[in-house]
């Protein structure tokens, strides 16, 4: 530990802590612009200058390591004069018309710091050079006039997302933020994660949807959990007057640490589907508005008359899944065509292992489409030098950054070949009785993959210090021997680590794991009466076509092809209008929050099913913990 004094306060910090972070621990405020706690210290803006006794000049606190017995002053005339000069120069370089800026009034760090130094005018006249506004992106506006060249956005794009879309051209005051090689942002390799917008300290990068929608003091920020996939990222949702303004990553969330993707940040805001706001019933061939009482009575009457089936989306809460399971008993299935795979004897790891790995194997899943935040974690590691092996049945977006790619119609044989190759190269860390020459000799004929390609991939992954494996349902696609595929996966993990703890399965939708633990299986096409608990999930056309029952009652948030064909439609709450529990892919049990108030005629998914059970005379239990913990889980379940 290191002992130092800041503005008369003596504190102890760990070695390597910067003066800025030490000041934060001491409760001493030092203004910054280019610094961000989740980015590597940069030292570009020079606003965080402090006086250090024994040093000839002022020092940037964001990059200065704290030293033992240091004495630091942050509130002296010399320091304040330097801050005002820095701010004056920044204001003079671009066109900062604060009264007309959409982040003026509490959101802008530049303005807040100027007020903090008592500034009420520009000491240096701006040069009034005109800069373009790039509005080519569907979600983001790039306003060069308000850019302060702090490079936070560039560093976030590279360090957090691993995308490296943003950069700077020219030098000095002529520096300009660019995307790729100078193309419009909307035509670039941007993946629309929005991290650049979230870290921007001014109005240079803004969300189109939230601009001019409310000052910082007039909005409410609510923490919740993303339901876009099974990663379970923490979100901070910004609302005003019961309107969704903006979604940001929660920097304090242990799973994602602020990192978000397009699915979690922008898709909910730009969802243009038509809401269902009143119960509907089919009469004389037409859907007409009705009361909740009539809609529930008709649904219960038909469902009780025959061997009705229930279909539920694994995007819904555990509470909802558990109620559907009880109402329809063994006739309940999942809407999504997905599977949570449990390899024998394999206890999966956590996402935090991705930050420690120097080699990744991605099997049967495209992390650019699903579980994107996990994909960002892999990408940034690969961009920093980690190796990547992609094993899949089809083209994968991660092929472009992979060290090796192996493609075959059935993946279990490839995994068996990988273990054989590791054994042949003496890189198998687990004891194996496998005869590698027998397996490798027939591998090309079985898969079409050359033995040399397998050996090269095995040498790379077998030489790594720590390997992380992520896999999806295409691991078992095209094969009738699911258990064999998972057994080969477990053998690969054991061969690389000597133990089975480096594997993570992506587990489909937000509550795919919970659905599997409750015993819900992939949907079977219903033939009789059917009740569909859809919530706000979207239905692919092929799944919609597979649902052709004699009677269809559906609880849904949005109108769709299925609701148009339904006999009864019950308006359900969206992800933002209902609280519930979700279990993410690493087994963390998390609770969502109510962000928006639903319309009067809209009910939560749990209230709809509870009312339906009462009408059908079915006794239900709200205890979902007991059946969840009774299921066979590939991960250790734990609360947040």
């Amino acid at each position: 530990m290191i002992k130092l004094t800041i503005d008369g306060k003596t504190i102890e910090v760990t070695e390597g802590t910067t003066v800025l972070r030490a000041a934060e621990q001491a409760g001493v405020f030092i203004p910054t612009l280019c610094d961000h706690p989740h980015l590597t210290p940069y030292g570009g803006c020079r606003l965080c200058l402090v006086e250090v006794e024994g040093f000839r000049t002022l020092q940037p606190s964001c990059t200065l390591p704290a030293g033992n017995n240091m004495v630091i002053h942050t509130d002296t005339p010399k320091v304040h004069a330097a801050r005002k000069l820095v701010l004056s120069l920044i204001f003079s370089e671009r066109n900062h018309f604060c009264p007309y800026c959409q982040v003026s009034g509490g959101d802008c760090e530049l303005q807040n710091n100027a007020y903090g130094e008592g500034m009420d005018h520009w000491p240096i006249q701006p040069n009034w050079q005109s800069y373009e506004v790039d509005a080519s992106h569907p979600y983001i506006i790039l306003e060069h006039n308000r850019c302060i060249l702090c490079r936070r956005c560039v560093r976030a794009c590279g360090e957090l997302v691993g995308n490296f879309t943003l950069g700077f051209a020219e030098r000095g005051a002529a520096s300009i933020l660019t995307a790729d090689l100078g193309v419009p942002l909307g035509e670039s390799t941007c993946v629309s994660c929005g991290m650049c917008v979230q870290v921007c300290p001014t109005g240079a990068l803004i969300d189109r949807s939230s601009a001019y929608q409310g000052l910082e003091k007039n909005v409410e920020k609510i923490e919740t959990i993303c339901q876009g996939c099974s990663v379970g990222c923490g979100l901070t949702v910004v609302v005003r007057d019961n309107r969704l303004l903006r979604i940001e990553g929660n920097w304090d969330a242990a799973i994602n640490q602020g990192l978000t993707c397009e699915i979690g940040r922008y898709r909910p805001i730009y969802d243009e589907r038509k809401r269902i706001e009143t119960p509907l019933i089919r009469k004389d061939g037409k859907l007409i508005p009705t009361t909740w009482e009539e809609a529930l009575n008709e649904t219960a009457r038909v469902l009780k008359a025959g061997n009705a089936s229930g279909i539920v989306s694994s995007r819904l809460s555990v509470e909802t899944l558990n109620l559907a399971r009880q109402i329809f008993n063994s006739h309940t299935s999942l809407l999504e065509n997905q599977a949570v795979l449990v390899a024998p004897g394999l206890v999966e790891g956590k996402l935090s292992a991705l930050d420690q790995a120097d080699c990744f194997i991605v099997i049967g899943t495209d992390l650019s489409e699903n579980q994107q935040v996990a994909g960002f974690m892999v990408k940034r590691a690969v961009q920093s030098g980690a190796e990547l092996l992609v094993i899949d049945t089809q083209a994968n977006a991660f092929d472009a950054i992979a060290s090796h790619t192996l493609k075959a119609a059935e993946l279990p044989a490839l995994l068996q070949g990988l273990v054989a190759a590791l054994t042949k190269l003496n890189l198998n860390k687990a004891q194996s009785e496998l005869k590698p020459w027998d397996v490798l000799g027939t591998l090309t004929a079985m898969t079409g993959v050359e033995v040399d390609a397998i050996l090269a991939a095995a040498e790379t992954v077998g030489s790594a210090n720590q390997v992380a494996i992520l896999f999806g349902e295409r691991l078992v696609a095209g094969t009738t021997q699911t258990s064999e595929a998972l057994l080969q996966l477990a053998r690969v993990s054991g061969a690389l680590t000597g133990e089975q703890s480096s594997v993570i399965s992506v587990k489909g939708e937000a509550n795919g794991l919970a659905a599997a633990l409750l015993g819900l299986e992939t949907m079977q096409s219903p033939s009789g009466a059917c009740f569909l608990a859809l919530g706000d999930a979207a239905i692919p056309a092929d799944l919609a076509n597979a649902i052709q029952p004699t009677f269809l009652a559906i609880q849904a948030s949005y109108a769709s092809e299925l609701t148009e064909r339904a006999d009864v439609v019950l308006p359900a709450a969206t992800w933002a209008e209902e609280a519930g529990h979700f279990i993410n892919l690493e087994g963390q049990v998390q609770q969502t929050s109510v962000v928006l108030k639903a319309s009067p005629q809209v009910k939560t998914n749990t209230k709809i099913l509870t009312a339906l059970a009462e009408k059908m005379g079915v006794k239900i239990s709200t205890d979902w913990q007991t059946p969840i913990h009774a299921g066979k889980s590939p991960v250790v379940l734990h609360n947040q």
Side-chain angles (χ1 to χ4, degrees):
M1 298 293 288
I2 292 172
K3 184 178 292 187
L4 70 159
T5 302
I6 304 177
D7 289 348
K9 297 181 179 179
T10 301
I11 61 170
E12 287 188 352
V13 298
T14 57
E15 189 173 356
T17 303
T18 63
V19 170
L20 177 62
R21 300 291 170 246
E24 291 175 350
Q25 293 182 37
V28 176
F29 173 73
I30 298 177
T32 65
L33 283 173
C34 72
D35 180 77
H36 192 280
H38 287 260
L39 300 174
T40 302
Y42 178 61
C45 71
R46 261 20 192 195
L47 187 60
C48 67
L49 293 173
V50 295
E51 275 194 82
V52 183
E53 291 187 8
F55 284 59
R56 183 174 58 86
T57 60
L58 297 178
Q59 299 295 312
S61 61
C62 68
T63 57
L64 179 65
N68 203 28
N69 298 321
M70 258 188 184
V71 178
I72 299 159
H73 303 282
T74 72
D75 189 18
T76 66
K78 187 176 180 180
V79 167
H80 286 292
R83 290 177 186 170
K84 286 185 178 180
L85 176 60
V86 167
L87 290 168
S88 299
L89 291 171
I90 291 174
F91 275 112
S92 72
E93 288 182 343
R94 297 291 167 97
N95 304 315
H96 298 282
F97 296 106
C98 293
Y100 305 98
C101 180
Q102 71 286 336
V103 299
S104 178
D107 293 10
C108 177
E109 295 179 35
L110 176 63
Q111 185 186 63
N112 293 344
N113 284 324
Y115 283 141
E117 293 302 320
M119 296 177 64
D120 55 11
H121 67 283
W122 297 320
I124 302 175
Q125 182 75 0
N127 64 14
W128 305 122
Q129 179 180 343
S130 178
Y131 293 90
E132 68 174 11
V133 176
D134 183 351
S136 62
H137 197 282
Y139 307 132
I140 301 168
I141 292 178
L142 170 53
E143 168 63 287
H144 291 287
N145 290 280
R146 294 163 187 166
C147 180
I148 61 173
L149 313 182
C150 69
R151 289 170 171 77
R152 270 200 204 173
C153 56
V154 177
R155 291 144 59 206
C157 187
E159 294 179 21
L160 300 182
V161 186
N163 213 51
F164 293 95
T165 295
L166 300 177
F168 271 89
E170 305 299 337
R171 292 188 176 188
S175 297
I176 194 80
L177 181 64
T178 62
D180 294 334
L181 297 177
V183 302
L185 186 61
E187 300 173 14
S188 70
T189 57
C190 172
V191 294
S192 299
C193 67
M195 293 308 301
C196 57
V197 177
Q198 185 165 333
V199 301
C200 180
T202 65
L205 287 161
I206 60 171
D207 283 334
R208 304 178 75 111
S209 63
S210 62
Y212 300 103
Q213 295 296 308
L215 301 177
E216 179 82 3
K217 62 181 179 181
N218 296 329
V219 301
E220 183 181 5
K221 295 185 176 182
I222 304 170
E223 293 184 1
T224 189
I225 305 301
C226 180
Q227 297 163 40
C229 76
S230 59
V231 174
C233 295
L235 301 178
T236 299
V237 181
V238 183
V239 298
R240 182 187 185 189
D241 299 330
N242 205 39
R243 290 185 295 117
L244 184 62
L245 300 185
R246 189 169 69 251
I247 298 175
E248 298 178 342
N250 181 359
W251 295 114
D252 296 325
I255 291 172
N256 58 311
Q257 297 180 4
L259 194 57
T260 54
C261 69
E262 177 186 7
I263 295 171
R265 187 188 296 270
Y266 291 121
R267 295 270 180 92
I269 295 177
Y270 289 85
D271 194 336
E272 297 180 348
R273 291 178 293 171
K274 181 182 177 182
R275 280 301 300 269
I276 301 171
E277 296 186 336
T278 186
L280 303 171
I281 192 168
R282 188 171 297 280
K283 291 184 178 179
D284 299 325
K286 294 182 179 180
L287 279 175
I288 60 172
T290 187
T291 64
W292 272 101
E293 185 72 12
E294 183 181 17
L296 288 170
N297 283 337
E298 176 64 10
T299 302
R301 181 187 68 81
V302 177
L303 295 181
K304 285 194 299 182
N307 198 20
S309 60
I311 302 174
V312 60
S313 171
S314 57
R315 181 179 160 86
L316 298 174
S317 67
V318 184
E319 291 88 343
T320 304
L321 297 175
N322 186 46
L323 291 176
R325 178 185 65 88
Q326 295 176 76
I327 293 172
F328 299 101
N329 202 353
S330 60
H331 300 289
T332 312
S333 60
L334 285 179
L335 172 69
E336 293 81 11
N337 183 22
Q338 65 188 34
V340 174
L341 308 175
V342 183
L346 185 65
V347 178
E348 297 184 19
K350 296 184 178 181
L351 286 169
S352 57
L354 301 183
D355 289 330
Q356 311 300 323
D358 62 344
C359 183
F360 300 88
I361 305 178
V362 176
I363 308 171
T365 185
D366 192 334
L367 296 177
S368 70
E369 298 177 357
N370 310 301
Q371 287 73 33
Q372 289 184 16
V373 167
F376 295 158
M377 296 176 182
V378 174
K379 275 179 70 175
R380 69 192 185 192
V382 171
Q383 298 286 7
S384 297
E387 302 285 355
L388 171 62
L389 167 60
V390 176
I391 302 176
D392 210 339
T393 59
Q394 61 192 48
N396 192 307
F398 273 49
D399 290 345
I401 61 171
S403 310
H404 305 274
T405 60
L406 303 175
K407 297 289 187 292
E410 292 194 9
L411 302 183
L414 274 182
L415 298 185
Q416 185 181 18
L418 185 61
V419 174
L422 288 167
T423 305
K424 181 176 179 63
L425 296 171
N426 294 319
L427 295 173
N428 190 333
K429 296 181 175 64
Q431 292 184 354
S432 175
E433 298 178 357
L434 186 69
K435 296 179 180 179
W437 47 89
D438 291 343
V439 174
L440 293 172
T442 59
L443 187 64
T444 300
M446 292 170 59
T447 65
V449 179
E450 295 294 332
V451 171
D452 287 346
I454 289 280
L455 289 170
E459 185 172 10
T460 296
V461 299
S463 302
N465 294 319
Q466 190 164 342
V467 181
I469 303 172
L470 296 98
F471 74 97
E473 64 176 9
R474 286 202 294 270
L475 172 63
V476 296
T479 179
T480 58
Q481 298 182 351
T482 301
S483 59
E484 175 64 20
L486 298 178
L487 178 61
Q488 295 301 336
L489 174 69
R491 285 174 175 170
V492 169
S493 175
L496 292 170
T497 65
E499 56 186 22
Q500 297 179 343
S501 60
S502 61
V503 176
I504 301 172
S505 61
V506 295
K507 302 180 182 68
E509 295 293 335
N511 246 343
L513 176 57
L517 295 177
L518 290 172
L520 302 178
E521 298 181 352
T522 302
M523 184 188 78
Q524 301 295 324
S525 299
S527 55
C530 176
F531 184 89
L532 173 57
L534 182 63
D536 59 9
I539 309 178
D542 58 337
L543 287 180
N545 292 333
I547 300 176
Q548 300 285 344
T550 57
F551 173 88
L552 176 61
I554 177 172
Q555 64 181 58
S557 308
Y558 298 101
S560 66
E561 176 190 343
L562 270 179
T563 61
E564 291 298 320
R565 290 197 276 112
D567 297 283
V568 177
V569 180
L570 307 174
T574 67
W575 67 275
E577 298 164 347
E578 180 175 6
H581 287 85
F582 288 77
I583 306 176
N584 82 330
L585 56 78
E586 63 178 34
Q588 185 157 300
V589 182
Q590 304 181 102
Q591 185 170 10
T592 62
S593 304
V594 175
V595 173
L596 300 174
K597 183 179 179 181
S599 299
Q601 285 291 298
V602 173
K603 296 182 182 295
T604 65
N605 289 277
T606 52
K607 285 185 177 180
I608 294 173
L609 289 177
T610 300
L612 180 62
E614 183 178 351
K615 295 288 185 183
M616 295 177 65
V618 177
K619 293 184 178 180
I620 56 173
S621 169
T622 57
D623 175 22
W624 54 266
Q625 291 93 341
T626 300
I628 281 289
H629 287 281
K632 186 177 181 181
S633 176
V635 295
V636 178
L637 302 182
H638 56 284
N639 292 323
Q640 192 174 22

